[in-house]
């Protein structure tokens, strides 16, 4: 038996009896990654995870100095940027890594969509991924306000206005988000609580489920590969694929360090609620397509408020995306890629890129 083997030391044997180390080793030996022409895309889930860990670590360091009140938030960030040793680096990495994490997550999402990785038995993996998408965007939205600078303040005012257009529950939602009728210090404190306590707790549970399911089902083999007679080659996860993951993470760390050093996070001017909104208010890039859509919609379409139609449209797109495992029925089980998923994914990418481009170029013209 393995745990009786003389090659293990006393500590190993002590732990083996109490924790069952050989079970973990067995699990690690069993894990394999399919090898085919799309294997490259399997790196992006791990990359998202790595950047998320960076967020947790740098976020904890920022917590040591950050103060969540309208009177002190901006000044505490100024202090972090100028006085705290390496404070500027930690904040800049937190800010860059947030953007790279969301970018990596989008690549991960679209590759899972195009490769039909959501199909049976991975429907719950996809749904938990949908939860992670929502939580990550909420992290970005709430984090943006925390420096309490002008740009973030007015962008949050616009952002929290949007759910207000929903009939019946809209005004309640807006008050719930803002902690009152306006964006004030109460909003800041609320966003802080959501950002550092509620979202991390939820992500821990949903991410735990996501990773458990990935472990349980193993990586999927895309239908286009199954049908092509490429054979069923695979690579052990430990150490072969994991070492490749590590190389990717090391590159990401290098890119992060360079971005943070050459383009440190900005702070701008302190928010002043009594000043008029400055020109060029813009949200984070991943909200830009939605922001620009709402800006371009006419005030009324067929007697219905344009903004309301826009928000309903985003809702429908979100539901189609999340429900994809259940909509893609025709090809389910067959070794055929889904045209619905490919068409929808492509349309979503083209639409987002065009509207994001318009968002940056049109506001620059103003
Ligand atoms: C915080 C965000 C996320 C993290 C940290 C994460 C992490 C991971 C990891 C490490 C894997 C295994 C390796 C890989 O496939 O790349 C994975 C697989 C998967 N993820 Fe995610 N994920 C996240 C978000 C999402 C989102 C937004 C979706 C889609 C809605 C999603 C859907 C999937 C699916 C379907 C698989 C299985 C892939 C397969 O078996 O081929 N994930 N995820």
């Amino acid at each position: 038996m393995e745990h009786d083997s003389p090659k293990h030391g006393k500590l190993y044997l002590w732990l083996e009896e109490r924790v069952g180390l050989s079970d973990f080793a067995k699990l690690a030996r069993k894990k394999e990654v399919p090898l085919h022409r799309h294997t490259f895309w399997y790196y992006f889930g791990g990359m998202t995870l790595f950047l998320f860990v960076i967020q947790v670590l740098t976020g904890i360091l920022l917590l040591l100095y950050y103060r969540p009140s309208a009177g002190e938030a901006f000044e505490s960030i100024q202090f972090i940027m100028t006085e705290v040793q390496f404070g500027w680096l930690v904040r800049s990495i937190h800010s860059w890594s947030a953007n790279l994490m969301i970018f990596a997550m989008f690549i991960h999402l679209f590759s899972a969509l195009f490769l039909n990785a959501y199909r049976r038995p991975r429907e719950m993996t996809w749904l938990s991924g949908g939860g992670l998408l929502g939580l990550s965007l909420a992290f970005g939205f709430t984090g943006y306000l925390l420096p309490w600078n002008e740009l973030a303040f007015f962008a949050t005012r616009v952002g929290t206005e949007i759910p207000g257009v929903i009939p019946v529950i809209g005004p309640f939602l807006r008050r719930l988000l803002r902690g009152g009728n306006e964006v004030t210090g109460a909003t800041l404190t609320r966003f802080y609580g959501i950002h550092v306590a509620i979202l991390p707790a939820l992500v821990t549970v949903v991410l735990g489920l996501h990773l458990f399911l990935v472990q349980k089902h193993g990586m999927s083999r895309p239908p286009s590969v199954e049908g092509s007679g490429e054979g069923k080659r695979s690579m052990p996860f430990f150490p072969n694929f994991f070492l490749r993951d590590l190389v990717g993470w090391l590159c990401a760390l290098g890119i992060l360090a360079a971005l943070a050093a050459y383009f440190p996070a900005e702070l701008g001017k302190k928010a002043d609620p009594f000043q008029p909104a400055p020109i060029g208010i813009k949200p984070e890039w991943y909200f830009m397509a939605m922001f620009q859509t709402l800006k371009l919609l006419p005030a009324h379409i067929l007697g219905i408020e344009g903004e309301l139609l826009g928000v309903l449209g985003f809702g429908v797109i979100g539901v189609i995306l999340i429900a994809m495992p259940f909509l893609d029925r025709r090809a389910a089980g067959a070794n055929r890629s889904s045209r619905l998923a490919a068409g929808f994914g492509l349309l979503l990418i083209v639409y987002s890129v065009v509207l994001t481009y318009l968002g940056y170029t049109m506001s620059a013209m103003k």
Side-chain angles (χ1 to χ4, degrees):
M1 254 169 27
E2 186 164 350
H3 56 265
D4 289 327
S5 104
K7 70 177 186 227
H8 296 305
K10 272 197 182 141
L11 178 65
Y12 180 92
L13 294 177
W14 192 90
L15 282 173
E16 168 59 20
E17 193 181 340
R18 284 149 189 92
V19 188
L21 288 182
S22 59
D23 294 341
F24 289 105
K26 226 181 279 166
L27 211 67
R29 264 202 306 278
K30 226 181 70 189
K31 194 171 165 61
E32 300 235 314
V33 178
L35 274 184
H36 47 74
R37 65 195 128 106
H38 300 302
T39 298
F40 174 70
W41 302 109
Y42 294 144
Y43 289 107
F44 285 92
M47 182 60 80
T48 313
L49 188 60
F50 172 70
L51 293 167
F52 177 70
V53 171
I54 298 264
Q55 287 310 93
V56 174
L57 298 179
T58 49
I60 290 172
L61 291 178
L62 288 173
L63 266 182
L64 302 179
Y65 290 96
Y66 177 75
R67 290 164 186 264
S69 74
E72 289 182 300
F74 183 84
E75 288 76 5
S76 69
I77 299 274
Q78 247 176 353
F79 185 73
I80 289 173
M81 292 302 280
T82 54
E83 302 291 330
V84 178
Q85 287 236 357
F86 294 112
W88 65 273
L89 186 62
V90 172
R91 174 169 177 248
S92 301
I93 289 187
H94 194 74
S95 157
W96 275 113
S97 173
N99 287 302
L100 293 191
M101 176 188 145
I102 300 242
F103 191 65
M105 183 181 66
F106 280 140
I107 298 181
H108 174 57
L109 183 163
F110 281 105
S111 56
L113 182 68
F114 289 130
L115 297 177
N116 308 137
Y118 51 76
R119 281 185 184 167
R120 188 179 167 196
R122 294 182 180 77
E123 294 93 331
M124 286 299 291
T125 318
W126 179 260
L127 290 182
S128 57
L132 291 173
L133 171 70
L135 292 172
S136 304
L137 295 179
F139 259 121
F141 187 65
T142 50
Y144 197 44
L145 180 67
L146 299 185
W148 201 244
N149 53 7
E150 200 179 42
L151 196 64
F153 174 83
F154 287 104
T156 304
R157 205 187 236 177
V158 177
T160 49
E161 193 66 49
I162 293 168
V165 303
I166 302 171
V168 189
I169 55 165
F172 167 74
L173 274 182
R174 185 174 48 205
R175 263 203 319 280
L176 184 72
L177 276 174
R178 290 181 170 175
N181 287 325
E182 287 299 327
V183 175
T184 61
T187 321
L188 176 66
T189 312
R190 189 161 290 218
F191 274 31
Y192 172 74
I194 297 173
H195 193 80
V196 308
I198 297 178
L199 292 176
L202 292 176
V203 161
T204 306
V205 175
V206 183
L207 186 57
L209 175 66
H210 196 67
L211 297 180
F212 165 73
L213 291 172
V214 168
Q215 181 57 40
K216 178 173 166 57
H217 296 299
M219 300 304 298
S220 71
R221 221 174 255 279
S224 56
V225 171
E226 285 285 41
S228 74
E230 254 190 67
K232 283 201 187 304
R233 290 190 305 135
S234 60
M235 175 195 279
F237 182 79
F238 282 109
N240 305 46
F241 194 80
F242 183 67
L243 287 174
R244 287 165 171 77
D245 259 339
L246 272 184
V247 172
W249 298 350
L250 199 63
C251 290
L253 203 59
I255 293 173
L256 264 181
L259 286 171
Y262 289 114
F263 310 101
E266 289 177 2
L267 187 53
K269 278 204 300 200
K270 182 171 173 169
D272 182 353
F274 300 108
Q275 289 293 316
I279 297 173
I281 285 302
K282 57 177 177 12
E284 297 269 58
W285 61 269
Y286 38 88
F287 291 124
M288 188 52 113
M290 289 197 268
F291 179 72
Q292 190 62 19
T293 303
L294 295 178
K295 226 161 113 181
L296 291 180
L297 281 172
H300 287 94
I301 303 169
L302 303 172
I304 305 173
E305 220 180 306
E307 274 203 353
L308 174 59
L309 276 184
V311 172
L312 286 178
F314 302 147
V316 170
I317 291 173
V319 168
I320 294 178
L321 185 69
I322 300 304
M324 192 51 81
F326 311 103
L327 298 174
D328 169 20
R329 297 203 79 88
R330 214 156 59 94
N335 287 343
R336 264 194 302 147
S337 301
S338 161
R339 285 215 195 130
L340 173 73
F344 177 73
L346 217 61
L347 216 68
L348 200 55
I349 291 178
V350 171
Y351 182 82
S352 306
V353 170
V354 171
L355 268 286
T356 304
Y357 174 77
L358 289 179
Y360 283 106
T361 49
M362 286 174 71
S363 65
M365 285 189 294
K366 267 209 215 159

